[in-house]
């Protein structure tokens, strides 16, 4: 197909609850539309980061263009846009959805509708996408497509009687999905002759091409050589290349027109100037208004990242630089800690984002990291009238200088089946939630609306939500603003020495409880040493909780004769290695994982 | 110079044992003895004399196992005869054989005596029948008493008894009882070990790793409660008490503790084992036997050795301090009995390794290390090398520095691993 007719373009995404087979279906679609040979076909082509494949989740949005020859003899261009599935990446999801005209909803024929199924559907409907359900995994012995179809109709309210019943794994009935996409997903609209308006829904750094910006053209046309402007940042660049996405490949072409999905490269060195959500227009003939929806990505969660081996500080810096190119939502700046040495204060979209960055640093850059307790950005109003944005608890000014403090508040929507409403409400109350209302979606399902302090949900709120709703509740939230709050800094003293890396800001009413749990947890994490080690939690000079790690009483190698020496030496070496992986704070050795484990205080 | 000879045969494997030992029929045992004799001859030919031409003079020989006393006593005689014909074994050498209670009779013991064996070490382990059974030992308490009596009658005036604390189901009282019973038999030497759960043993499957470093919560999971009908291991505090009581009870009975697990009457400390802890070179003969030699000796032992995996001869460095080698003979029975000399592990020790070993082995002794001895051996003072560690642990009361010696305090012995690891 040489000339691309708008009427035969299908921009769509696949949405699903985790593990319902989204990526496998994507693979089948790419396979059946004949873009790739079998040899090129690696399992789950869209998820190209190792980590994504292992965790089975999609982190970065990606796109892929294929050509489908439908049963009516027409050829259709499929632009399949992959979306991340976690609430931390909500912002990226909504950008991806904004690039689509329709969505295929994958539902597991055995498990039926689940929390993220709903969350994703509502997100898609918010973006005015047409959603078409597909029943997957009909090859499973436990599959019950009829029940699931009823569930989709009852719970979500989507017409599902004609939904394709498929097995993405075996390839059964995949044609029906392809036909659905060709005939039911609406064609894009937009005038190729209008001033250019293209939505940036992703940007990645490629060592050869520089920054590659993924765009969905809503209006107008972009060609190689055009001078473009990013409407929010104001940056102007010359387009070096335009093209579309093969599977894992970039295929250059002459121009992109309204309705199309593709990429541009523009010798852009600085990823920060190409923010996801921004609108690209032509410098010479700009659009009057940008597309709606751009907001600056803001770090919600901050923590300190330190190299386990302090000699690796430059390596960590290089790794963060490279990661940031690939992930504009990552923020970092250097900081130092008395306990941990040189490191970085880093900002993330959420706790999962934090964990993923940490894992990528460890895996892709071979770094051993120590992470400090994550916190949010507090606003400290000082008595002299100045305001500090506090991301590191250690920088909290002297209480005498503080007039009052503010903390970020989010507006949260929790979707839950009615039987769990009581326990979820209780959870929200415990987390200082302010009840805003409840609506019944249908008989068995409700949406709870709460205002919640962000610092109450960054730790273990998801886990608590899951365990109190048997995995059924889903959460969506957005930043509401800042609110004055009674906050204190909780310090941890190990063997009477304050460990700065363990300090965090907490609502004063929760300080006692948190302090107690911290001490208990640390008691488990710090191995016994040659003397009793008191672990104390303190607010200011007041000790509010205490535990003791009892001294090691017996640690002897009973036998060590001629034949044992080499082996026993190895045992001692192992013991010494273990010590090396610990951080010396005063005379106490604290294992690195202790700094991280205190994040999970509500386990068990 | 010392010599260790490994005789790997036993009646049945004990449930805690991770030594290289196994049952075998007499024919295979004989094949093994022949290979052993061959190894002794071969080694003597290559390394019979020191660099200066003086003969290598063994001052102690240790026949360990396995259960050496299972073998026909004549064979033991043959081995010692071969040793003497190859090496000028010192006339007053300490020559020890390990024996299991119940596997010796007067005839055997007399033959040991006439072969020159002057020390016998009985693997008694416990005076509680139930504990013996649980360990998988083949003897009874009655057989312990009988064997010790027979050894005395045969003229042994240096008898050791091995005992084990920290056994499943054992409590402080039953351990004290074992100690008292042992003392009644008036041995010259007692080795009292606390049980180590070694990987690959049935005990490991049953009890898992008794990790001393785990938190007290975890430690409690493994100790103190009975599981699947198997009695539980004593908890850490009980074990520590057992260790304390060992020293007390044996001291009352006239024994002096001279090493973490060893107690002797005056003048009866085991010379052979003292050698291990003070860096005396030794040959290890037999399957899987370990040795420790100056690198130059080891190179000569390897010379002309075509089957060796060490393709390049280890370099002798001139000018710098002598390196030493720890090696272990092959554990492959077939290859060993084919007369192939090869090594499973060869570890070359440089100055730093040797200094670390000097400390971690020397500090096992209650008298510790002699500061001047360190200087004599390495040409620098103990404090220039380990000053910081010594200061730290003596400050904490785990190390004592007194009269030119450095040793672990009572409190330091209990947690010696933590202290010793820092010298590596």
């Amino acid at each position: 197909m040489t000339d691309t007719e708008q009427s035969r373009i299908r921009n769509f995404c696949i949405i699903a609850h985790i593990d319902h087979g989204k990526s496998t279906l994507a693979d089948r679609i790419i396979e059946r539309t004949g873009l790739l040979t079998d040899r090129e076909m690696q399992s789950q082509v869209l998820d190209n980061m190792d980590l994504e494949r292992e965790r089975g989740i999609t982190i970065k949005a990606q796109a892929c263009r294929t050509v489908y020859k439908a049963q009516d003899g027409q050829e259709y261009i499929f632009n399949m846009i992959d979306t991340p599935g976690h609430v931390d990446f909500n912002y990226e999801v909504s950008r991806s959805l904004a690039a689509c005209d329709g969505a295929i909803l994958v539902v597991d024929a055995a498990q039926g509708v689940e929390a993220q199924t709903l969350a994703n559907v509502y997100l898609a409907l918010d973006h005015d996408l047409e959603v078409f359900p597909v029943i997957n995994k009909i090859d499973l012995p436990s599959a019950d497509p009829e029940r699931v179809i009823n569930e989709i109709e009852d719970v979500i309210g989507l017409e599902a009687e004609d939904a394709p019943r498929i097995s993405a794994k075996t390839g059964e009935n995949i044609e029906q999905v392809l036909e659905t996409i060709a005939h039911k997903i609406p064609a894009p609209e937009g005038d190729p002759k209008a001033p250019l308006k293209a939505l940036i829904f992703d940007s990645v750094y490629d060592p050869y091409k520089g920054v590659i910006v993924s765009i969905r053209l809503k209006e107008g046309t972009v060609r190689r050589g055009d001078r473009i402007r990013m409407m929010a940042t104001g940056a102007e660049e010359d387009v070096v290349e335009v093209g579309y996405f093969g599977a894992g490949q970039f295929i250059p072409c002459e121009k992109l027109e309204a309705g199309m999905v593709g990429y541009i490269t523009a010798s852009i060195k600085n990823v920060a100037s190409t923010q996801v959500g921004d609108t690209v227009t032509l410098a010479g003939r700009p659009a009057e208004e940008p597309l709606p929806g751009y907001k600056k990505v803001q770090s919600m969660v901050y923590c300190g990242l330190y190299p386990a081996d302090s000699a690796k500080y430059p390596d960590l810096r290089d790794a963060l630089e490279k990661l940031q190119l690939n992930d504009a939502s990552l923020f970092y700046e250097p900081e130092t800690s008395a306990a941990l040495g040189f490191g970085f204060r880093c900002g993330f979209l959420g706790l999962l984002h934090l964990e993923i960055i940490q894992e990528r640093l460890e895996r892709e850059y071979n770094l051993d990291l120590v992470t400090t307790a994550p916190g949010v950005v507090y606003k400290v109003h000082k008595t002299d009238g100045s305001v500090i944005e506090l991301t590191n608890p250690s920088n909290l000014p002297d209480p005498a200088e503080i007039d009052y403090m503010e903390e970020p508040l989010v507006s949260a929507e929790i979707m839950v089946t009615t039987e769990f409403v009581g326990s979820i409400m209780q959870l929200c109350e415990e987390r200082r939630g302010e009840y805003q209302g409840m609506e019944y979606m249908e008989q068995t399902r409700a949406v709870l609306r709460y205002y919640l302090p962000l610092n109450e949900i960054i730790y273990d709120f998801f886990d608590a939500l899951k365990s109190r709703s048997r995995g059924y509740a889903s959460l969506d939230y957005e930043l509401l603003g800042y609110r004055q709050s009674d906050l204190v800094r909780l310090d941890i003293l190990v063997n009477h020495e304050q460990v700065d890396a363990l300090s965090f800001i907490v609502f004063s009413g929760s300080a006692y409880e948190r302090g107690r749990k911290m001490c208990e947890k640390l008691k488990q994490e710090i191995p016994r040493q040659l003397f009793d080690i008191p672990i104390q939690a303190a607010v200011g000079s007041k000790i509010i909780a205490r535990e003791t790690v009892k001294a090691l009483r017996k640690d002897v190698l009973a036998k060590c004769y001629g034949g044992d020496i080499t082996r026993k030496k190895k045992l001692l070496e192992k013991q010494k290695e273990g010590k090396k992986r610990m951080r010396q704070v005063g005379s106490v050795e604290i294992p690195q994982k202790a700094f991280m484990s205190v994040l999970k205080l509500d386990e068990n | 110079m010392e010599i260790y000879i490994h005789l790997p045969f036993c009646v049945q494997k004990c449930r805690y044992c991770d030594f290289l030992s196994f049952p075998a029929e007499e024919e295979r045992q004989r094949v093994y003895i022949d290979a052993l004799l061959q190894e002794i001859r071969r080694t003597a030919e290559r390394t019979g004399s020191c660099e200066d031409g003086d003969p290598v003079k063994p001052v102690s020989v240790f026949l360990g196992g396995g259960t050496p006393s299972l073998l026909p006593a004549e064979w033991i005689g043959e081995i010692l005869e071969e040793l003497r014909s190859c090496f000028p074994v010192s006339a007053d050498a300490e020559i020890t054989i390990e024996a299991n209670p119940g596997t010796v009779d007067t005839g055997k013991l007399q033959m040991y005596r006439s072969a020159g064996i002057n020390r016998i070490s009985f693997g008694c382990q416990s005076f509680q029948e139930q504990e013996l059974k649980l360990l998988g030992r083949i003897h009874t308490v009655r057989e312990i008493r009988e064997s010790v009596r027979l050894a005395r009658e045969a003229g042994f005036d240096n008898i050791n008894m091995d005992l084990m604390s920290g056994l499943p189901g054992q409590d402080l009282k039953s351990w004290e009882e074992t100690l008292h019973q042992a003392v009644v038999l008036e041995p010259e030497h007692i080795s009292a070990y606390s049980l180590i759960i070694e990987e690959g043993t049935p005990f490991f499957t049953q009890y898992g790793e008794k990790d001393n470093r785990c938190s007290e919560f975890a430690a409690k999971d493994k100790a103190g409660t009975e599981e699947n009908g198997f009695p539980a291991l004593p908890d850490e505090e009980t074990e520590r008490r057992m260790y304390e009581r060992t020293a007390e009870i044996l001291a009352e009975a006239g024994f002096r503790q001279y090493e973490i697990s060893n107690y002797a009457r005056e003048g009866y400390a085991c010379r052979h084992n003292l050698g291990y802890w003070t860096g005396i070179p030794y040959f290890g003969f037999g399957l899987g036997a370990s040795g420790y030699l100056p690198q130059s000796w080891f190179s000569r032992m390897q010379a002309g050795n075509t089957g060796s995996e060490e393709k390049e001869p280890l370099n002798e460095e001139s000018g710098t301090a002598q390196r030493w080698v720890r090696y272990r003979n092959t554990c492959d029975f077939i290859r060993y009995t084919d007369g192939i000399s090869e090594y499973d592990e060869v570890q070359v020790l440089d100055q730093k390794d040797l200094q670390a070993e000097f400390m971690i082995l020397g500090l096992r002794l209650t008298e510790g290390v002699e500061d001047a001895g360190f200087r004599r051996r390495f040409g620098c003072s103990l404090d220039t090398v380990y000053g910081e560690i010594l200061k730290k642990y003596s400050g904490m009361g785990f190390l004592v520095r007194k009269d030119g010696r450095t040793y672990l305090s009572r409190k330091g012995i209990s947690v010696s691993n933590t202290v010793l690891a820092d010298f590596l």
Side-chain angles (χ1 to χ4, degrees):
Chain A
M1 186 159 72
T2 47
D3 190 30
T4 311
E5 277 175 45
Q6 216 179 44
S7 65
R8 280 186 279 139
I9 295 176
R10 297 294 178 268
N11 298 317
F12 67 98
C13 58
I14 307 173
I15 55 179
H17 187 78
I18 195 159
D19 283 342
H20 280 197
K22 185 173 85 171
S23 297
T24 318
L25 178 59
D27 286 356
R28 286 298 92 77
I29 291 173
I30 292 166
E31 210 176 61
R32 290 297 170 90
T33 47
L35 177 92
L36 292 176
T37 64
D38 282 349
R39 202 145 46 93
E40 287 169 310
M41 186 74 200
Q42 213 185 352
S43 167
Q44 305 196 351
V45 246
L46 279 189
D47 295 351
N48 71 9
M49 279 193 285
D50 285 352
L51 189 60
E52 288 188 3
R53 215 167 285 153
E54 259 168 59
R55 286 199 167 199
I57 55 173
T58 307
I59 301 162
K60 291 292 292 183
Q62 305 237 2
C64 176
R65 169 171 140 150
T66 66
V67 179
Y68 173 61
K69 187 161 185 174
Q71 283 162 11
D72 61 13
Q74 295 267 34
E75 281 190 335
Y76 292 86
I77 289 190
F78 284 6
N79 282 310
M80 183 161 56
I81 293 153
D82 207 6
T83 55
H86 192 277
V87 63
D88 269 11
F89 303 107
N90 238 342
Y91 184 63
E92 286 193 29
V93 175
S94 64
R95 290 309 94 204
S96 301
L97 294 177
C100 300
D101 302 301
I104 296 295
L105 171 69
V106 181
V107 184
D108 185 309
Q111 293 181 9
V113 174
E114 300 211 48
Q116 284 174 3
T117 314
L118 274 172
N120 283 316
V121 168
Y122 290 121
L123 210 52
L125 295 177
D126 273 355
H127 287 86
D128 298 324
L129 301 190
E130 302 248 12
V131 180
F132 300 97
V134 164
I135 315 298
N136 190 23
K137 303 197 188 180
I138 55 164
D139 56 312
L140 289 181
S142 56
D144 187 356
E146 288 311 318
R147 178 181 62 81
V148 172
I149 282 167
N150 285 333
E151 219 176 66
I152 294 172
E153 295 193 333
D154 292 350
V155 176
I156 310 179
L158 281 179
E159 174 72 37
E161 201 40 60
D162 300 332
R165 299 162 196 205
I166 66 160
S167 166
K169 200 171 122 202
T170 65
E172 195 177 344
N173 295 338
I174 294 296
E175 309 74 38
Q176 292 181 24
V177 181
L178 300 173
E179 287 294 311
T180 300
I181 296 167
H183 298 303
K184 292 193 173 167
I185 301 237
E189 291 166 359
D191 180 2
K193 295 189 181 70
L196 177 66
K197 268 191 194 180
L199 173 76
I200 302 180
F201 65 90
D202 193 15
S203 75
V204 295
Y205 183 79
D206 179 278
Y208 302 105
K209 294 181 190 289
V211 179
I212 298 172
V213 184
S214 304
I215 51 170
R216 158 71 195 268
L217 284 86
K218 297 282 189 182
E219 303 282 350
T221 302
V222 64
R223 291 183 177 77
R224 194 170 35 152
D226 282 348
R227 186 155 184 86
I228 50 165
R229 178 188 299 159
M230 315 296 165
M231 293 186 78
T233 63
E236 288 193 11
E237 303 284 349
D238 293 321
V239 175
V240 172
E241 186 178 308
V242 299
Y244 56 88
F245 305 98
Q249 281 170 306
F250 299 100
I251 299 162
C253 61
E254 274 305 306
K255 58 176 183 181
L256 293 171
E257 289 184 348
M260 295 175 83
V261 168
Y263 69 88
I264 49 178
T265 66
S267 66
I268 305 162
K269 290 286 175 292
N270 184 6
V271 174
S273 64
T274 57
Q275 300 266 10
V276 169
D278 198 353
T279 302
V280 180
T281 191
L282 291 178
R285 192 186 164 211
E288 282 177 22
E289 290 277 311
L291 294 163
Y294 173 76
K295 55 182 180 184
K296 198 165 176 289
V297 183
Q298 270 196 330
S299 299
M300 302 280 253
V301 177
Y302 284 79
C303 77
L305 285 183
Y306 291 81
D309 173 1
S310 47
K312 290 276 172 77
Y313 175 78
D315 298 10
L316 175 57
R317 190 188 51 218
D318 291 350
L320 283 169
E321 259 171 36
K322 286 188 187 128
L323 272 186
Q324 197 185 40
L325 287 175
N326 193 281
D327 181 353
S329 51
L330 169 68
F331 163 87
Y332 68 94
E333 66 185 13
E335 71 169 8
T336 53
S337 149
L340 300 173
F342 290 103
F344 295 92
R345 176 93 345 206
C346 300
F348 306 93
L349 298 171
L351 211 54
L352 181 75
H353 187 212
L354 184 162
E355 279 178 33
I356 284 165
I357 293 291
Q358 192 192 3
E359 262 193 74
R360 290 189 65 188
L361 286 169
E362 293 188 335
R363 209 179 284 208
E364 293 167 28
Y365 297 93
N366 263 328
L367 291 164
D368 252 342
L369 295 177
V370 184
T371 313
T372 67
V376 300
V377 186
Y378 299 95
K379 285 189 178 159
V380 183
H381 294 259
K382 293 174 71 174
T383 45
D384 63 7
S386 62
V387 182
I388 299 175
E389 298 219 336
L390 185 76
T391 56
N392 182 350
S394 298
N395 299 337
L396 186 70
D398 189 277
E401 295 173 26
I402 300 173
D403 183 8
Y404 66 95
M405 284 171 73
E406 288 184 305
E407 66 177 331
L409 196 68
V410 299
S411 161
E413 283 193 355
I414 300 163
M415 229 165 300
V416 65
T417 46
T418 42
E419 54 182 316
F420 298 115
V421 163
S423 57
I424 297 302
M425 285 178 80
Q426 197 192 339
L427 173 68
C428 292
E429 301 296 328
E430 285 165 22
R431 302 300 176 97
R432 298 190 280 139
E434 275 173 34
Y435 179 73
Q436 297 297 317
M438 176 168 72
E439 284 147 34
Y440 281 92
M441 305 303 295
E442 76 285 329
Q443 280 215 313
T444 57
R445 203 171 282 269
V447 176
L448 278 166
R449 284 186 285 109
Y450 270 92
Y451 289 170
L452 282 158
L454 181 61
N455 84 349
E456 293 289 343
I457 61 176
I458 58 166
Y459 287 93
D460 47 11
F461 191 73
F462 294 110
D463 297 341
L465 204 59
K466 289 266 151 59
S467 69
R468 294 195 196 188
S469 66
R470 282 193 227 130
Y472 235 102
S474 67
L475 169 74
D476 187 18
Y477 62 81
E478 60 181 12
L479 193 63
L480 201 61
Y482 274 76
R483 184 178 63 174
Q484 187 171 344
S485 183
D486 186 9
L487 300 164
V488 293
R489 188 176 74 201
L490 185 70
D491 293 324
I492 297 295
L493 289 78
V494 175
N495 205 25
H496 307 296
E497 285 196 47
Q498 189 192 323
V499 184
D500 61 356
L502 289 173
S503 294
F504 58 94
I505 306 286
V506 62
F507 176 64
S508 69
S510 316
Y512 170 76
E513 181 69 10
R514 268 240 128 77
R516 194 178 53 77
K517 282 185 177 165
M518 279 284 276
C519 291
E520 278 171 12
K521 188 82 184 189
L522 283 169
K523 184 187 176 176
Q524 290 172 42
E525 292 294 338
I526 296 178
R528 292 184 302 157
Q529 291 166 37
L530 295 175
F531 41 86
D532 283 358
I533 303 165
I535 299 168
Q536 295 160 308
V539 171
S541 57
K542 191 174 164 217
I543 304 292
I544 57 170
R546 180 192 162 116
E547 292 281 345
T548 305
V549 177
K550 288 279 179 204
L552 185 66
R553 300 303 296 272
K554 188 167 182 296
D555 183 19
V556 189
L557 294 173
K559 271 188 183 191
C560 190
Y561 297 122
D564 305 319
I565 292 169
T566 305
R567 205 158 46 104
K568 303 290 174 182
K569 236 167 63 187
K570 272 185 202 147
L571 276 178
L572 292 177
E573 260 154 23
K574 214 169 123 194
Q575 193 159 336
K576 185 167 184 178
E577 270 311 301
K579 273 195 201 182
K580 257 201 219 151
R581 279 198 300 275
M582 293 196 245
R583 287 293 174 150
Q584 185 90 26
V585 176
S587 50
V588 181
E589 278 139 3
I590 303 179
Q592 287 164 11
K593 66 179 170 120
F595 292 97
M596 194 67 186
S597 68
V598 296
L599 314 183
K600 290 166 182 162
L601 293 179
D602 275 359
E603 270 173 11
N604 306 325
Chain B
M1 179 77 223
E2 305 189 329
I3 288 172
Y4 175 80
I5 292 174
H6 193 62
L7 301 166
F9 309 110
C10 60
V11 174
Q12 69 173 44
K13 201 87 177 141
C14 297
R15 296 175 54 77
Y16 59 87
C17 173
D18 76 328
F19 288 153
L20 182 60
S21 62
F22 43 87
E25 61 277 18
E26 194 169 306
E27 201 180 322
R28 276 177 84 204
Q29 295 179 353
R30 185 61 228 185
V31 169
Y32 178 79
I33 297 298
D34 289 333
L36 177 66
L37 297 175
Q38 195 199 331
E39 187 197 359
I40 293 170
R41 274 194 299 274
R42 189 175 59 222
T43 307
E45 279 161 22
R46 291 179 188 165
T47 61
S49 55
C50 306
E51 282 102 295
D52 56 11
D54 280 351
V56 173
K57 197 174 172 75
V59 295
S60 101
V61 178
F62 197 103
L63 297 146
T67 308
S69 56
L70 273 188
L71 297 171
E74 296 81 9
W75 296 3
I76 301 295
E78 257 183 85
I79 295 168
L80 287 171
E81 218 171 284
E82 189 67 59
L83 266 187
R84 287 207 173 80
S85 74
C86 292
F87 297 97
V89 177
S90 173
D92 63 348
E94 177 190 275
I95 303 178
T96 306
I97 188 165
E98 284 186 333
N100 204 71
T103 62
V104 290
D105 54 32
T106 304
K108 241 184 204 175
L109 290 163
Q110 279 171 349
M111 235 179 280
Y112 292 163
R113 292 293 298 163
S114 53
I117 295 175
N118 50 27
R119 186 172 183 270
I120 188 162
S121 171
F122 285 110
C124 306
Q125 317 312 0
S126 170
F127 280 79
Q128 309 285 345
E129 301 288 3
Q130 226 180 324
E131 289 171 6
L132 288 173
K133 223 165 131 190
L134 202 102
L135 290 171
R137 302 295 300 191
I138 54 169
H139 64 270
T140 61
V141 173
R142 206 182 52 78
E143 282 173 314
I144 296 176
R145 300 203 177 97
E146 181 66 8
S147 295
V148 171
R149 188 179 61 81
L150 290 177
R152 282 279 183 244
E153 282 175 8
F156 278 98
D157 57 5
N158 190 351
I159 297 176
N160 169 58
M161 295 170 69
D162 279 352
L163 301 174
M164 289 174 90
S165 64
L167 302 181
Q170 192 179 48
D171 59 19
L172 193 56
K173 218 177 120 212
S174 72
W175 171 239
E176 288 178 358
E177 178 69 17
T178 285
L179 288 169
H180 287 302
Q181 301 259 8
V183 165
V184 169
L185 297 178
E186 300 187 312
E188 279 70 29
H189 190 285
I190 288 177
S191 296
Y193 307 110
S194 82
L195 173 72
I196 302 172
I197 307 288
E198 300 281 7
E199 232 169 299
T201 63
F203 265 26
F204 188 85
T205 320
Q206 190 58 44
Y207 297 105
E209 199 174 356
K210 217 172 42 161
D211 185 354
N212 274 322
R213 292 194 65 88
C214 59
S215 75
E216 73 192 278
F217 309 104
K220 267 184 201 143
D221 290 345
K222 285 169 194 155
T225 47
E226 199 155 314
E227 217 186 303
N228 315 329
F230 284 86
L233 293 169
D235 61 30
E236 187 194 31
E237 198 48 34
T238 310
E239 249 200 90
R240 202 180 61 81
R241 281 292 295 151
M242 286 178 175
Y243 187 66
E244 278 175 5
R245 287 297 289 151
T246 309
E248 288 164 14
I249 291 171
L250 295 183
E252 276 167 39
F255 291 84
R256 191 179 74 84
Q257 181 178 11
Y258 68 98
E259 192 256 2
I260 285 174
S261 306
N262 283 282
Y263 306 80
R265 291 186 192 287
E266 201 49 49
Y268 286 93
C270 175
R271 216 192 291 165
H272 186 85
N273 289 342
L274 280 174
Y276 290 146
W277 301 316
T278 52
I280 308 288
Y282 54 92
F283 285 120
F285 294 134
L287 190 68
S290 296
Y292 170 65
L293 299 172
Q295 192 176 29
S296 54
W297 296 21
F298 184 74
S299 305
R300 273 186 286 149
M301 195 164 80
Q302 282 196 312
N305 181 3
T306 48
S308 169
E309 286 172 20
E310 297 289 321
K311 294 262 170 3
E312 286 182 31
L314 296 158
N315 287 326
E316 276 184 68
E317 284 188 29
S318 53
T320 62
Q322 169 79 284
R323 287 164 187 256
W324 285 61
V325 173
R326 285 198 184 280
Y327 66 92
R328 187 179 191 200
N329 276 354
T330 178
C331 295
D332 184 324
F333 190 87
I334 308 288
R335 294 182 72 81
Y336 182 77
T337 50
D338 278 349
I340 297 166
S341 69
E342 49 184 29
Y343 307 101
D344 276 0
E345 290 162 23
V346 175
Q347 206 191 352
V348 181
L349 307 172
D350 61 19
Q351 179 90 344
K352 195 170 159 283
D353 299 325
L354 293 168
Q355 288 172 343
E357 285 198 354
F358 186 93
M359 297 310 291
I360 63 173
L361 296 171
L363 287 176
R364 292 188 67 85
L365 300 171
T366 50
E367 63 172 24
V369 299
E370 192 202 354
D371 298 4
F374 188 91
R375 180 185 284 282
R376 269 201 304 281
R377 172 119 195 235
F378 301 109
C380 52
S381 84
L382 195 52
D383 288 85
T384 54
V385 184
Y386 295 120
E388 217 169 293
I389 304 167
L390 295 170
K391 209 161 100 192
K392 174 177 164 192
Y393 287 116
S394 50
M396 292 166 81
F398 294 109
L399 277 178
V400 182
R401 310 202 68 191
K402 206 172 138 192
D403 303 331
R405 303 199 73 93
T406 301
Y407 53 92
L408 286 165
S409 65
R410 287 300 311 171
K411 178 168 110 163
I413 289 176
S414 295
V415 292
S416 51
N417 285 351
T418 313
V419 180
L420 297 180
D422 272 356
F423 287 96
L424 283 172

